[in-house]
PDB file of all heavy atoms in Angstrom:
ATOM      1  N   ALA A   1     -16.955  -1.434  -2.168  1.00 67.00           N
ATOM      2  CA  ALA A   1     -15.929  -0.939  -3.093  1.00 67.00           C
ATOM      3  C   ALA A   1     -14.990   0.040  -2.406  1.00 67.00           C
ATOM      4  O   ALA A   1     -13.783   0.062  -2.666  1.00 67.00           O
ATOM      5  CB  ALA A   1     -16.601  -0.271  -4.304  1.00 67.00           C
ATOM      6  N   ARG A   2     -15.529   0.870  -1.501  1.00 62.00           N
ATOM      7  CA  ARG A   2     -14.684   1.793  -0.742  1.00 62.00           C
ATOM      8  C   ARG A   2     -13.654   1.021   0.073  1.00 62.00           C
ATOM      9  O   ARG A   2     -12.475   1.361   0.106  1.00 62.00           O
ATOM     10  CB  ARG A   2     -15.544   2.625   0.203  1.00 62.00           C
ATOM     11  CG  ARG A   2     -16.536   3.526  -0.467  1.00 62.00           C
ATOM     12  CD  ARG A   2     -17.462   4.120   0.565  1.00 62.00           C
ATOM     13  NE  ARG A   2     -18.464   4.981  -0.040  1.00 62.00           N
ATOM     14  CZ  ARG A   2     -19.458   5.528   0.621  1.00 62.00           C
ATOM     15  NH1 ARG A   2     -19.580   5.296   1.910  1.00 62.00           N
ATOM     16  NH2 ARG A   2     -20.327   6.297   0.012  1.00 62.00           N
ATOM     17  N   GLY A   3     -14.132   0.012   0.781  1.00 69.00           N
ATOM     18  CA  GLY A   3     -13.222  -0.780   1.598  1.00 69.00           C
ATOM     19  C   GLY A   3     -12.166  -1.469   0.766  1.00 69.00           C
ATOM     20  O   GLY A   3     -10.995  -1.537   1.152  1.00 69.00           O
ATOM     21  N   LEU A   4     -12.566  -1.974  -0.410  1.00 72.00           N
ATOM     22  CA  LEU A   4     -11.612  -2.659  -1.291  1.00 72.00           C
ATOM     23  C   LEU A   4     -10.548  -1.688  -1.785  1.00 72.00           C
ATOM     24  O   LEU A   4      -9.358  -2.029  -1.832  1.00 72.00           O
ATOM     25  CB  LEU A   4     -12.360  -3.278  -2.474  1.00 72.00           C
ATOM     26  CG  LEU A   4     -11.486  -4.013  -3.507  1.00 72.00           C
ATOM     27  CD1 LEU A   4     -10.762  -5.181  -2.849  1.00 72.00           C
ATOM     28  CD2 LEU A   4     -12.341  -4.498  -4.675  1.00 72.00           C
ATOM     29  N   LEU A   5     -10.956  -0.464  -2.146  1.00 67.00           N
ATOM     30  CA  LEU A   5      -9.996   0.537  -2.618  1.00 67.00           C
ATOM     31  C   LEU A   5      -8.964   0.860  -1.553  1.00 67.00           C
ATOM     32  O   LEU A   5      -7.754   0.908  -1.822  1.00 67.00           O
ATOM     33  CB  LEU A   5     -10.735   1.809  -3.034  1.00 67.00           C
ATOM     34  CG  LEU A   5      -9.876   2.995  -3.486  1.00 67.00           C
ATOM     35  CD1 LEU A   5      -9.038   2.620  -4.698  1.00 67.00           C
ATOM     36  CD2 LEU A   5     -10.756   4.203  -3.799  1.00 67.00           C
ATOM     37  N   ALA A   6      -9.438   1.067  -0.317  1.00 64.00           N
ATOM     38  CA  ALA A   6      -8.503   1.361   0.773  1.00 64.00           C
ATOM     39  C   ALA A   6      -7.597   0.172   1.057  1.00 64.00           C
ATOM     40  O   ALA A   6      -6.406   0.327   1.328  1.00 64.00           O
ATOM     41  CB  ALA A   6      -9.277   1.749   2.033  1.00 64.00           C
ATOM     42  N   ALA A   7      -8.155  -1.025   1.013  1.00 69.00           N
ATOM     43  CA  ALA A   7      -7.365  -2.225   1.286  1.00 69.00           C
ATOM     44  C   ALA A   7      -6.252  -2.395   0.257  1.00 69.00           C
ATOM     45  O   ALA A   7      -5.106  -2.717   0.597  1.00 69.00           O
ATOM     46  CB  ALA A   7      -8.275  -3.458   1.290  1.00 69.00           C
ATOM     47  N   VAL A   8      -6.587  -2.164  -1.021  1.00 69.00           N
ATOM     48  CA  VAL A   8      -5.572  -2.281  -2.074  1.00 69.00           C
ATOM     49  C   VAL A   8      -4.482  -1.229  -1.884  1.00 69.00           C
ATOM     50  O   VAL A   8      -3.285  -1.529  -2.002  1.00 69.00           O
ATOM     51  CB  VAL A   8      -6.233  -2.140  -3.459  1.00 69.00           C
ATOM     52  CG1 VAL A   8      -5.162  -2.015  -4.552  1.00 69.00           C
ATOM     53  CG2 VAL A   8      -7.123  -3.327  -3.747  1.00 69.00           C
ATOM     54  N   ALA A   9      -4.897   0.004  -1.562  1.00 64.00           N
ATOM     55  CA  ALA A   9      -3.915   1.086  -1.382  1.00 64.00           C
ATOM     56  C   ALA A   9      -2.973   0.789  -0.232  1.00 64.00           C
ATOM     57  O   ALA A   9      -1.748   0.966  -0.337  1.00 64.00           O
ATOM     58  CB  ALA A   9      -4.641   2.407  -1.139  1.00 64.00           C
ATOM     59  N   ILE A  10      -3.519   0.324   0.883  1.00 62.00           N
ATOM     60  CA  ILE A  10      -2.680  -0.004   2.039  1.00 62.00           C
ATOM     61  C   ILE A  10      -1.803  -1.204   1.738  1.00 62.00           C
ATOM     62  O   ILE A  10      -0.621  -1.246   2.121  1.00 62.00           O
ATOM     63  CB  ILE A  10      -3.557  -0.285   3.282  1.00 62.00           C
ATOM     64  CG1 ILE A  10      -4.066   1.033   3.863  1.00 62.00           C
ATOM     65  CG2 ILE A  10      -2.784  -1.046   4.340  1.00 62.00           C
ATOM     66  CD1 ILE A  10      -2.993   1.884   4.519  1.00 62.00           C
ATOM     67  N   GLY A  11      -2.339  -2.206   1.037  1.00 66.00           N
ATOM     68  CA  GLY A  11      -1.542  -3.382   0.686  1.00 66.00           C
ATOM     69  C   GLY A  11      -0.341  -3.015  -0.166  1.00 66.00           C
ATOM     70  O   GLY A  11       0.775  -3.501   0.049  1.00 66.00           O
ATOM     71  N   VAL A  12      -0.547  -2.125  -1.139  1.00 65.00           N
ATOM     72  CA  VAL A  12       0.554  -1.663  -1.983  1.00 65.00           C
ATOM     73  C   VAL A  12       1.573  -0.886  -1.154  1.00 65.00           C
ATOM     74  O   VAL A  12       2.791  -1.056  -1.312  1.00 65.00           O
ATOM     75  CB  VAL A  12       0.019  -0.786  -3.138  1.00 65.00           C
ATOM     76  CG1 VAL A  12       1.167  -0.120  -3.881  1.00 65.00           C
ATOM     77  CG2 VAL A  12      -0.821  -1.615  -4.087  1.00 65.00           C
ATOM     78  N   ALA A  13       1.076  -0.030  -0.241  1.00 58.00           N
ATOM     79  CA  ALA A  13       1.987   0.765   0.588  1.00 58.00           C
ATOM     80  C   ALA A  13       2.826  -0.127   1.492  1.00 58.00           C
ATOM     81  O   ALA A  13       4.032   0.091   1.656  1.00 58.00           O
ATOM     82  CB  ALA A  13       1.189   1.756   1.430  1.00 58.00           C
ATOM     83  N   VAL A  14       2.196  -1.138   2.095  1.00 59.00           N
ATOM     84  CA  VAL A  14       2.935  -2.050   2.979  1.00 59.00           C
ATOM     85  C   VAL A  14       3.983  -2.820   2.194  1.00 59.00           C
ATOM     86  O   VAL A  14       5.124  -3.004   2.643  1.00 59.00           O
ATOM     87  CB  VAL A  14       1.960  -3.021   3.685  1.00 59.00           C
ATOM     88  CG1 VAL A  14       2.719  -4.120   4.417  1.00 59.00           C
ATOM     89  CG2 VAL A  14       1.074  -2.262   4.667  1.00 59.00           C
ATOM     90  N   THR A  15       3.626  -3.279   0.998  1.00 65.00           N
ATOM     91  CA  THR A  15       4.580  -4.004   0.162  1.00 65.00           C
ATOM     92  C   THR A  15       5.747  -3.117  -0.234  1.00 65.00           C
ATOM     93  O   THR A  15       6.911  -3.533  -0.180  1.00 65.00           O
ATOM     94  CB  THR A  15       3.878  -4.530  -1.102  1.00 65.00           C
ATOM     95  OG1 THR A  15       2.776  -5.359  -0.721  1.00 65.00           O
ATOM     96  CG2 THR A  15       4.845  -5.343  -1.953  1.00 65.00           C
ATOM     97  N   LEU A  16       5.446  -1.879  -0.612  1.00 58.00           N
ATOM     98  CA  LEU A  16       6.508  -0.935  -0.984  1.00 58.00           C
ATOM     99  C   LEU A  16       7.429  -0.662   0.196  1.00 58.00           C
ATOM    100  O   LEU A  16       8.649  -0.557   0.034  1.00 58.00           O
ATOM    101  CB  LEU A  16       5.885   0.368  -1.476  1.00 58.00           C
ATOM    102  CG  LEU A  16       6.849   1.459  -1.947  1.00 58.00           C
ATOM    103  CD1 LEU A  16       7.677   0.964  -3.121  1.00 58.00           C
ATOM    104  CD2 LEU A  16       6.085   2.720  -2.335  1.00 58.00           C
ATOM    105  N   ALA A  17       6.842  -0.553   1.386  1.00 52.00           N
ATOM    106  CA  ALA A  17       7.650  -0.308   2.572  1.00 52.00           C
ATOM    107  C   ALA A  17       8.604  -1.456   2.844  1.00 52.00           C
ATOM    108  O   ALA A  17       9.705  -1.267   3.364  1.00 52.00           O
ATOM    109  CB  ALA A  17       6.748  -0.085   3.782  1.00 52.00           C
ATOM    110  N   ALA A  18       8.180  -2.681   2.486  1.00 58.00           N
ATOM    111  CA  ALA A  18       9.007  -3.857   2.763  1.00 58.00           C
ATOM    112  C   ALA A  18      10.097  -4.071   1.723  1.00 58.00           C
ATOM    113  O   ALA A  18      11.198  -4.507   2.049  1.00 58.00           O
ATOM    114  CB  ALA A  18       8.114  -5.100   2.844  1.00 58.00           C
ATOM    115  N   VAL A  19       9.810  -3.763   0.462  1.00 60.00           N
ATOM    116  CA  VAL A  19      10.769  -4.101  -0.597  1.00 60.00           C
ATOM    117  C   VAL A  19      11.508  -2.876  -1.139  1.00 60.00           C
ATOM    118  O   VAL A  19      12.510  -3.030  -1.840  1.00 60.00           O
ATOM    119  CB  VAL A  19      10.044  -4.806  -1.772  1.00 60.00           C
ATOM    120  CG1 VAL A  19       9.347  -6.056  -1.285  1.00 60.00           C
ATOM    121  CG2 VAL A  19       9.046  -3.876  -2.459  1.00 60.00           C
ATOM    122  N   GLY A  20      11.049  -1.676  -0.830  1.00 54.00           N
ATOM    123  CA  GLY A  20      11.689  -0.467  -1.322  1.00 54.00           C
ATOM    124  C   GLY A  20      12.848  -0.045  -0.449  1.00 54.00           C
ATOM    125  O   GLY A  20      13.182  -0.671   0.558  1.00 54.00           O
ATOM    126  N   GLY A  21      13.461   1.060  -0.825  1.00 52.00           N
ATOM    127  CA  GLY A  21      14.544   1.616  -0.031  1.00 52.00           C
ATOM    128  C   GLY A  21      14.011   2.387   1.153  1.00 52.00           C
ATOM    129  O   GLY A  21      12.796   2.464   1.375  1.00 52.00           O
ATOM    130  N   PRO A  22      14.897   2.986   1.956  1.00 50.00           N
ATOM    131  CA  PRO A  22      14.472   3.721   3.152  1.00 50.00           C
ATOM    132  C   PRO A  22      13.500   4.859   2.859  1.00 50.00           C
ATOM    133  O   PRO A  22      12.530   5.045   3.575  1.00 50.00           O
ATOM    134  CB  PRO A  22      15.808   4.252   3.715  1.00 50.00           C
ATOM    135  CG  PRO A  22      16.848   3.330   3.180  1.00 50.00           C
ATOM    136  CD  PRO A  22      16.370   2.921   1.827  1.00 50.00           C
ATOM    137  N   LEU A  23      13.758   5.627   1.778  1.00 50.00           N
ATOM    138  CA  LEU A  23      12.870   6.731   1.458  1.00 50.00           C
ATOM    139  C   LEU A  23      11.497   6.223   1.029  1.00 50.00           C
ATOM    140  O   LEU A  23      10.461   6.745   1.459  1.00 50.00           O
ATOM    141  CB  LEU A  23      13.472   7.593   0.343  1.00 50.00           C
ATOM    142  CG  LEU A  23      12.619   8.787  -0.111  1.00 50.00           C
ATOM    143  CD1 LEU A  23      12.343   9.716   1.067  1.00 50.00           C
ATOM    144  CD2 LEU A  23      13.307   9.529  -1.249  1.00 50.00           C
ATOM    145  N   ALA A  24      11.487   5.178   0.211  1.00 56.00           N
ATOM    146  CA  ALA A  24      10.214   4.598  -0.223  1.00 56.00           C
ATOM    147  C   ALA A  24       9.434   4.058   0.963  1.00 56.00           C
ATOM    148  O   ALA A  24       8.217   4.229   1.067  1.00 56.00           O
ATOM    149  CB  ALA A  24      10.470   3.476  -1.240  1.00 56.00           C
TER     150      ALA A  24
END
């Protein structure tokens, strides 16, 4: 469960970095 939580958090961050603006 720990690994899954970190994986989801990083996945969301990577997606935000790709589709968000420069600050995001």
Side-chain angles (χ1 to χ4, degrees):
R2 296 171 181 174
L4 179 61
L5 177 60
V8 170
I10 283 290
V12 171
V14 170
T15 303
L16 182 61
V19 302
L23 179 59

